[in-house]
Amino acid sequence: TRSEVDKIDYQATLNLLNAGREFGARHFTLLSAFCVRRPLLELQKAKLRFEAKLQSQTDMSYSIVRPTAFFKSVSGQFENIKTGAPYVLFGDG
C-alpha cells in the first residue's frame, strides 16, 4: 500500500537524512532506482518524492545513484549459482 511504501521508501530515508544532519554528515548518498524515470508503482513514486526532497535541501551535498535492473538480475542468480548452475552473462562481459 502507499502508506507502507511511504513509511519505508520516503519516511525512513528522510529519517536517515535527518540523523546524518544530527551527527554532522556533510554528504548523503541515495540509492534510488533507474525505473523512477517513468514511475508507475507507489514504490517508484515514493523514491521520486524523496529525491525531490533531497534536491530541495541546501545544507548537505548529495549524490543520487539509480542502478539499473541489471543488478537485480545478477542478485537473482545468486541462489542458482550456489547450487552449481551456470552464471548468465549479459553482453560481451
Side-chain angles (χ1 to χ4, degrees):
T1 67
R2 180 176 177 167
S3 174
E4 292 168 331
V5 168
D6 279 345
K7 287 177 186 174
I8 295 169
D9 282 286
Y10 182 84
Q11 189 59 53
T13 311
L14 180 60
N15 293 348
L16 289 171
L17 176 65
N18 290 331
R21 280 192 182 103
E22 289 177 25
F23 285 95
R26 297 184 312 235
H27 189 87
F28 189 88
T29 301
L30 174 67
L31 182 61
S32 187
F34 185 76
C35 59
V36 301
R37 297 176 337 142
R38 293 186 200 103
L40 299 173
L41 306 173
E42 291 303 322
L43 167 82
Q44 296 161 334
K45 294 173 185 175
K47 287 183 180 299
L48 261 184
R49 282 194 302 277
F50 184 79
E51 284 187 16
K53 179 75 170 178
L54 182 61
Q55 292 167 337
S56 71
Q57 59 83 41
T58 58
D59 61 322
M60 190 182 300
S61 63
Y62 62 87
S63 300
I64 298 174
V65 179
R66 289 181 174 173
T68 65
F70 171 78
F71 293 100
K72 175 65 176 162
S73 63
V74 170
S75 67
Q77 292 190 60
F78 183 67
E79 290 302 317
N80 290 338
I81 293 168
K82 287 188 341 185
T83 65
Y87 173 76
V88 178
L89 181 63
F90 297 92
D92 62 7

